[in-house]
Amino acid sequence: MNIILLGPPGAGKGTQAGKLVDARNMVQLSTGDMLRAAKTSGTDMGKKVAAIMDAGELVTDEIVIGLIEEKLDGEAGGGFIFDGFPRTLAQADALGELLERKGATLDAVIELQVNDDVLVERIVGRARDAVAAGGTARADDNEESLKVRLMEYYKKTSPLIGYYYAKGDLKAVDGLASMDDVASSIAAVLDA
Ligand code: AMP
């Protein structure tokens, strides 16, 4: 079973993906995590994307599609969870083609519905928690980058809701519920 978790920054995609990895042995493919790893290890690609990511803008389709293509040849476990990918219509088309080429299907697109006030609170909280735990906040977890990330989401990613609705793949889940309730709603979709 291959699924997409769709939603704005702070909607809980990463948290819910982690739960699915534990509960169902699924494999989380987070392009954000892959890009942050490239940035930290200082690869040429990482250096190229660092400033774009910190500003909250999207990196090119070509880069993220390449990252996903590589991972699709790896271990699939109980299926792939696409977390933070696709984020543009071009990425969505590319994912469809990559899966088709592998003879795989996309089984559900789960939209985590939240409102903007909650997103800002969660992201500011995430930055505060990271610092309180002795670490550092994500470079893009600040108010200025968050504004850009939200605008990128509404301009480029939210059209995917209509795209997957028209394909018949979209399932909406209330992302404002507690973490466990959101997990239960997702489980209900996957087990339906
Ligand atoms: P995330 O961890 O999913 O919030 O992603 C962090 C940042 O990585 C985003 O703000 C973008 O700069 C970049 N990024 C992650 N996934 C994608 C994607 N699918 N397309 C373009 N940029 C992405």
Side-chain angles (χ1 to χ4, degrees):
M1 179 163 247
N2 301 308
I3 66 166
I4 293 173
L5 293 180
L6 187 62
K13 301 185 295 292
T15 303
Q16 294 300 328
K19 286 179 173 283
L20 289 166
V21 169
D22 293 342
R24 296 173 188 249
N25 189 34
M26 294 178 81
V27 174
Q28 177 184 8
L29 298 186
S30 159
T31 41
D33 286 349
M34 294 173 208
L35 291 166
R36 273 185 291 279
K39 211 179 124 186
T40 307
S41 60
T43 62
D44 285 346
M45 188 266 277
K47 286 181 196 150
K48 204 165 130 189
V49 299
I52 298 170
M53 290 177 72
D54 290 355
E57 291 160 14
L58 295 189
V59 311
T60 65
D61 290 335
E62 197 188 351
I63 287 177
V64 288
I65 292 166
L67 288 171
I68 289 289
E69 186 171 10
E70 253 171 55
K71 299 283 178 181
L72 286 184
D73 288 329
E75 182 50 51
F80 292 113
I81 308 159
F82 299 98
D83 162 12
F85 179 92
R87 260 173 153 102
T88 64
L89 291 166
Q91 292 176 25
D93 280 336
L95 177 61
E97 280 162 27
L98 288 172
L99 289 173
E100 198 180 327
R101 220 185 294 158
K102 280 181 66 77
T105 51
L106 183 62
D107 300 287
V109 177
I110 297 174
E111 181 203 352
L112 295 172
Q113 294 184 321
V114 285
N115 69 43
D116 291 353
D117 294 342
V118 172
L119 299 179
V120 175
E121 262 168 47
R122 281 188 185 174
I123 289 184
V124 171
R126 177 163 80 187
R128 215 184 294 123
D129 291 350
V131 173
T136 45
R138 271 175 55 165
D140 59 350
D141 274 355
N142 61 74
E143 219 168 308
E144 204 178 318
S145 302
L146 180 56
K147 270 190 207 148
V148 178
R149 286 159 70 197
L150 278 176
M151 193 51 81
E152 290 283 73
Y153 176 78
Y154 287 114
K155 272 166 46 181
K156 298 176 184 166
T157 308
S158 68
L160 299 188
I161 295 169
Y163 174 98
Y164 285 118
Y165 173 79
K167 281 182 177 280
D169 296 331
L170 193 75
K171 308 278 181 238
V173 160
D174 176 13
L176 291 176
S178 72
M179 238 184 255
D180 287 342
D181 286 350
V182 176
S184 304
S185 305
I186 293 174
V189 168
L190 301 187
D191 294 334

